[in-house]
Amino acid sequence: MTAAATTVGAGSAGLRRQQLFGFVYLALAAIIAVAFGAATEPGATSSFELNAPRVAVQLPPLVVPSAPTAYALAGLCAFLGAVQLTRGFGARNAVVLGAVVLLFIAGFLVWAASTRSMNLVGVLQGTLQRATPITFAALAGVLCERAGVVNIAIEGMLLTGAFVAAVAASATGSPWIGIIAAVVVGALLAALLAVLSIRYRVDQIIAGTVINIFAIGMTSFLSARVLQRRPELNNPDRLGPIQIPLLSDIPVVGPIVFNNNVFVYAMFVLVVLIHVALFKTRWGLRVRAVGEHPKAADTVGIDVLRTRYQNVILGGMLAGVGGAFLVLGSTGRFDREMTAGRGFIGLAAMIFGGWAPVGSFFASLVFGFADSLQARLSILNVPIPSELLLMVPYVVTILVVAGLVGRARAPAADGRPYEKE
Amino acid sequence: MKLELQGITKRFPGVVANEGVDLVVEPGEIHALLGENGAGKTTLMNVLYGLYRPDEGEILLDGRSVTFHDPGDAIAAGIGMVHQHFMLVPVFTVTENVMLGAESTRGFGGLLDVADARRRIVEVSERHGLRVDPDALVEDLPVGVRQRVEIIKALYRRSDVLILDEPTAVLTPQEGEELFAIMRSLARSGTSIIFITHKLNEVLQVADRITVLRRGRVAGTTTPGTTSREQLAAMMVGRSVQLQVDKAPSEPAGTVLEIKGLVVCDDRDHVAVDGLDLTVHAGEIACIAGVQGNGQTELVEAVTGLRPVSAGTVTLDGRPITAHPRRVFEAGCAHVPEDRLEDGLVPGFTIADNLVLNSYYLAPYATGLRLERHAILQRAREQVAQYDVRTPSVFNDVANLSGGNQQKVIVAREFSRPIRLLVAAQPTRGLDVGSIEYIHRRIVEKRDEGTAVLIVSTELDEVLALADRIAVMYQGRIVAILDPAEATPERLGLLMGGARPEEGLDPEAQEIAAAAASAG
Amino acid sequence: MAAVPERPTRPGLTRQAVTFGRGLLLPALAILTALILGALVIVLSDPDLVTLFGVDPVAALGASWDLVAAAYGALIAGSIGNPGDLVGALAAGDLDAFVAALDPISVTLQRSTPLIFAGLSVALAFRSGLFNIGAEGQLYLGALFAVFVGFSFPGLPFFIHIPLAVAAGFLGGALWGFIPGFLKARTGAHEVIVTIMLNYVAYRLIDLALKTDVFQRPGREDPISKEVVESAALPPLIPGLAAGVHWGLVIALIAAAVVSWLLFRSTKGFEFRAVGLNPQAARYAGIDTGRTVILAMAVCGGLAGLAGTSEVLGSNRRLVSGLSPGYGFDAIALALLGRSRPLGVVAAALLFGALRAGATPMQAATGIPIDLVVVVQALVIMFIAAPALVRGLYRIRAGRTTGTEVFSKGWGT
């Protein structure tokens, strides 16, 4: 990086950081108490619905008194802040940060559900749904960047995947063929990115931007020119949820986790699979070596360029699936620019998740939660502008890349072309 | 395994790096490949290691001709290489680094068998006395240990031929000794070793046979018993050179640079300069001698304002300087940085622009926000002539100049203004002899004008030739200050290795010192 | 962009001309190739035509030609008009007809205006070693600030109100550019990710602002701002053509001249370029790289903010959430096409402005969606960024260029 990135000595910075976080926690505690606790009507209760529609085991709603609950949460948060300020948590910093975030969200929910009833299961179901395309995008990013190729074209790959999935599934009547088509097209776009950036050594950011613009232009053009004239090509069958017997009857968890469409299950499997592959197998060791120190990989006989081609194309395939989900697993039709930046949020989730599949998945859940909550709150008429909640993922991402929250360390050779001398 | 290279020729656009090179390495032999920087040693080894394809010639292993398409082929044929710049992934453990490319796996899908790899690493390291923790992260290891990891990496692949490219450049003399012991042990067990270096004493100390390369060709092959330092030096450079700078005795005047209790941390926040005191007077050349990595870089960066100071003071003519390079520059400090292209020049800028890289905002090169192109160009033309920079035009991109001419551009920029202090780090690294003499002459000229000069060099010859006063730096401190008249290479080498100045030279220490002295 | 040495050895005039010609050849071929591929897209996206190729290839070829000719004909007519009309009106001395015939060019220039600003923004960033993917968001922030000043303070004289609104627009964009610059300088956060994220934050911010009483037009439920008052509006440049090119173009050309001076004739530009090419050496030479990065990003943001400003004060007179059809992203193409030189950016912006201006009449006349020009633009950037593709296609020997410069130095810190 540039010399501008020279950081201050970590010793003193570590201390200042610890204190800074302590103050942030205290401030959040104050917000919970004042904005969430004191703002509720005295004696009001917050009610959380815990049942999905049509489930066997019905649970009673969780009803808590709004203000006292918020104050209790604020107290816990303040306690953590005080400990952080005085002693610090050392290695458990990340856990504490997570806990504080959860406390804050809980406080917010108590406030939002005050005098109302909020369906928590619905919010969480929505979270998973909305996290799915982000996760696929993030996995695509992980595969590319672990091998040292920055892929900002994931947005374009999602969009193209969505378009192709819609057309292919409509034309053949089979959503499965739609998915396959999306995978193929994702791979083709990724191959283009790989050829441009690896073979022609076009800057990876520029190559990615080209593909994004191309994807937006092409899908918009074709949807206006072809799909409007032939609406039957934009009417695919959707892949509905598959209830997993028994497991889906578990209260709360069942309807959230075990009643999803095939994309979500595939996501679960892929997250674990790719995580294990990256960190526990020969393939993964080699990929990571290529992303960290390509020359070192080369000198032990690993084909750096081939590894990069392979990973970029694999990433493109995953992005294609993510695009297919948007149509076949979600809306059921293609719309212009329907990805709305999910590819970029996927990249953000990847960074937030520390360039690891499991981390990226949890980061995607955070983003999905903000999105889902926003949708739920606007239904409930909670007096908070949905735009503010919609900004959360982007702002969080900026804080993460700035190193203000968490510590992100990119593969050392990420974004750098490799050239044999 | 017997290795033969026959008539190897490797050309790059505009350069012949190797021409008709023949080399025979017998089994169990330590074969030194000696040559100046740029003589073609590394190119030759990269050909042998499959990183380059030779344009002509062939490689024979035990008499059979082989062709290597990539390092994988070379590794499979039993050739291992320890590169000058280590080929280790910093965020991987030792085990991961060693097994990379030759992984132990178990079960389905290529699952890594880390336990098996660890066991084999321990086995290899115990057999050859290469102590290392297999689970340590490489980025946490000191340089000497990283080198051991590299050697283990080669042995793990059952290499019969081990290439060591300038392995002692980053080592203290003691670590160098340990390495030589390991090399001898490996040779005894039948491994052939090619030892690339430009240090004469090391060659004489450890090699069984010596091949000298000069400008891409073999200048001769000999053995330590039948040659001498002087003969080898003559073979290396083609004429007998004596690094001798004509200079009058210095006439030191008042104190210019004064460093007191300086503490500086490196990039990873370890203390690199640890309570250092040093004074440099007007009209003298003070040289800091030391093995690379003893805090010299951090010292220079702190003095020139590039690196924050954790404690202590640096004053120039009594005024404190630090914190900002521009303030240091304006106080009259010139800086010739260690890495020309990285730190000293802006490739993509013209020679003219590079010549005003630090003064572009001052009159007459600028009025207010406006650059005065005429003044800049005029100065550039004058300096190109004055400093003999070989270029068709001052509009040429500085990236297209040779190393010597690039260094002249920096020297022209830094020397051609009234300065109080000159700080130069490795001012002649990688330059040809002609350029070295030129730069040295200019530095002495500057001294004679009354400038205080601080040189950091790892080349003992340079230190001995230039210095009016030698400060030996070890682990972030100045451990001794010597008059060049009383400084012998042996004594310096010993001090650079951490011996206390009052210690006598016992026979064993002398041997170590001899190794260190060859740092030139 | 350091792909071209910024000042090569001073050769003779003829050689200079040859070099200049060579310099234009590649962009010209890139555009030509992109248009040919665009034609292919037009033909292949017509199911009837594709079917016809199977039945009667000759007729299909003819029909394809007609379709492409009609589309590109409408594109050209919509962007530069009919030269015959101009000459005819001039000969007849009919001023009204002459002005009417200028209309397409006027629209082209109008569309080019924000593109010039945004292109300059990205070009200045490139020169400073930065990627400004955030021109879009900066554009919106600039528009937000400018429109606020534009509808507030009625009664100000125009010579105060217009500069005030323009300055506000610059400031808004500069603020949005300052953030990534500051974060990069102080924490090492990569500006690509930060600017992309800030684009989305900007969209939401605009949506949010347009719902508030401060901005929203009274009596409206949809996100639309109050009208810019007359004294802050940029008047049309061609009297008689109220809807076309406005004084924003003049400001854009001035901006191009200023950026050119700033980059190549000022000490700040020296710092920008030095940091862009080798930040490490710049730091060693005493340049404060952090402050340079911050300043460069802020100026880039300001320039992009002016793109939004000229739209709200000139073309639209109000702010809506879909103000920009992606000018901020076109800007990346413009900077590449213009080799990050201000004059080059202006030329490229005129071309892209023409494409945008002609696209609407093309859609009206032939039903071919305006998005075609986006596809063409993407192809142009691809060919410019990978000159080897074009060279291979037309078998041109590589010139003595140094190859593509590496901008991105990875994420993280």
Side-chain angles (χ1 to χ4, degrees), chain C residues 107-180:
Chain C
V107 174
T108 291
L109 293 175
Q110 182 198 11
R111 294 306 192 98
S112 303
T113 304
L115 290 173
I116 293 174
F117 285 121
L120 288 172
S121 167
V122 177
L124 184 70
F126 275 164
R127 286 281 180 189
S128 312
L130 298 162
F131 257 105
N132 185 13
I133 312 276
E136 190 78 357
Q138 294 147 12
L139 179 152
Y140 274 107
L141 261 286
L144 187 72
F145 276 47
V147 85
F148 176 77
V149 174
F151 65 65
S152 313
F153 321 117
L156 276 182
F158 77 90
F159 55 85
I160 293 177
H161 205 174
I162 290 178
L164 200 64
V166 170
F170 186 89
L171 187 73
L175 186 76
W176 224 234
F178 168 83
I179 298 171

Side-chain angles (χ1 to χ4, degrees), chain A residues 255-298:
Chain A
I256 297 170
V257 178
F258 298 107
N259 185 18
N260 283 297
N261 61 34
V262 66
F263 288 98
V264 179
Y265 296 131
M267 171 182 72
F268 291 146
V269 172
L270 283 169
V271 165
V272 174
L273 196 70
I274 295 175
H275 198 90
V276 169
L278 259 184
F279 296 106
K280 298 283 176 213
T281 72
R282 172 170 56 195
W283 173 82
L285 187 72
R286 293 182 172 194
V287 166
R288 287 184 291 134
V290 165
E292 292 284 349
H293 196 332
K295 186 119 202 244
D298 195 355

Side-chain angles (χ1 to χ4, degrees), chain B residues 120-144:
Chain B
R120 284 177 54 199
I121 288 166
V122 170
E123 209 177 279
V124 168
S125 69
E126 276 172 2
R127 195 180 328 134
H128 298 284
L130 295 154
R131 294 181 315 278
V132 65
D133 170 12
D135 297 316
L137 280 183
V138 163
E139 62 183 351
D140 296 332
L141 297 177
V143 177

Side-chain angles (χ1 to χ4, degrees), chain C residues 310-335:
Chain C
S310 84
E311 285 299 274
V312 292
L313 300 182
S315 305
N316 284 42
R317 308 253 166 128
R318 59 196 155 82
L319 175 57
V320 290
S321 50
L323 179 76
S324 162
Y327 292 136
F329 301 111
D330 292 358
I332 299 161
L334 295 167

Side-chain angles (χ1 to χ4, degrees), chain A residues 94-279:
Chain A
V95 181
V96 175
L97 178 66
V100 169
V101 170
L102 281 178
L103 287 174
F104 186 81
I105 292 171
F108 177 79
L109 289 178
V110 166
W111 168 76
S114 178
T115 70
R116 301 182 185 82
S117 170
M118 179 185 282
N119 189 335
L120 214 50
V121 171
V123 171
L124 294 178
Q125 273 176 330
T127 299
L128 201 55
Q129 279 281 312
R130 284 157 205 260
T132 304
I134 299 172
T135 305
F136 276 109
L139 288 176
V142 168
L143 283 179
C144 295
E145 300 212 356
R146 278 288 178 179
V149 178
V150 168
N151 183 355
I152 68 165
I154 291 171
E155 175 77 4
M157 295 173 186
L158 281 182
L159 188 60
T160 316
F163 177 84
V164 171
V167 173
S170 306
T172 60
S174 158
W176 296 101
I177 292 181
I179 295 176
I180 291 168
V183 167
V184 169
V185 166
L188 284 176
L189 278 185
L192 177 64
L193 174 73
V195 169
L196 283 177
S197 60
I198 298 171
R199 166 119 190 254
Y200 289 102
R201 297 175 45 73
V202 174
D203 183 273
Q204 295 173 4
I205 305 282
I206 290 176
T209 307
V210 167
I211 291 173
N212 282 338
I213 298 177
F214 182 80
I216 290 176
M218 205 63 176
T219 53
S220 301
F221 175 83
L222 291 176
S223 103
R225 188 158 164 79
V226 179
L227 298 189
Q228 271 177 17
R229 276 199 268 175
R230 306 236 178 133
E232 72 274 13
L233 283 178
N234 193 7
N235 189 22
D237 289 339
R238 289 173 48 184
L239 286 165
I242 303 166
Q243 275 203 15
I244 295 186
L246 294 177
L247 288 177
S248 60
D249 293 332
I250 303 170
V252 187
V253 177
I256 297 170
V257 178
F258 298 107
N259 185 18
N260 283 297
N261 61 34
V262 66
F263 288 98
V264 179
Y265 296 131
M267 171 182 72
F268 291 146
V269 172
L270 283 169
V271 165
V272 174
L273 196 70
I274 295 175
H275 198 90
V276 169
L278 259 184
F279 296 106

Side-chain angles (χ1 to χ4, degrees), chain C residues 133-222:
Chain C
I133 312 276
E136 190 78 357
Q138 294 147 12
L139 179 152
Y140 274 107
L141 261 286
L144 187 72
F145 276 47
V147 85
F148 176 77
V149 174
F151 65 65
S152 313
F153 321 117
L156 276 182
F158 77 90
F159 55 85
I160 293 177
H161 205 174
I162 290 178
L164 200 64
V166 170
F170 186 89
L171 187 73
L175 186 76
W176 224 234
F178 168 83
I179 298 171
F182 178 82
L183 290 178
K184 186 184 177 86
R186 293 288 175 264
T187 72
H190 200 289
E191 76 278 7
V192 167
I193 282 287
V194 177
T195 51
I196 288 172
M197 295 304 138
L198 282 178
N199 282 342
Y200 290 99
V201 176
Y203 298 152
R204 308 291 176 230
L205 207 62
I206 297 297
D207 289 344
L208 192 63
L210 289 180
K211 277 190 195 165
T212 61
D213 294 340
V214 182
F215 283 94
Q216 196 169 32
R217 187 172 299 188
R220 292 285 287 261
E221 286 296 313
D222 53 335

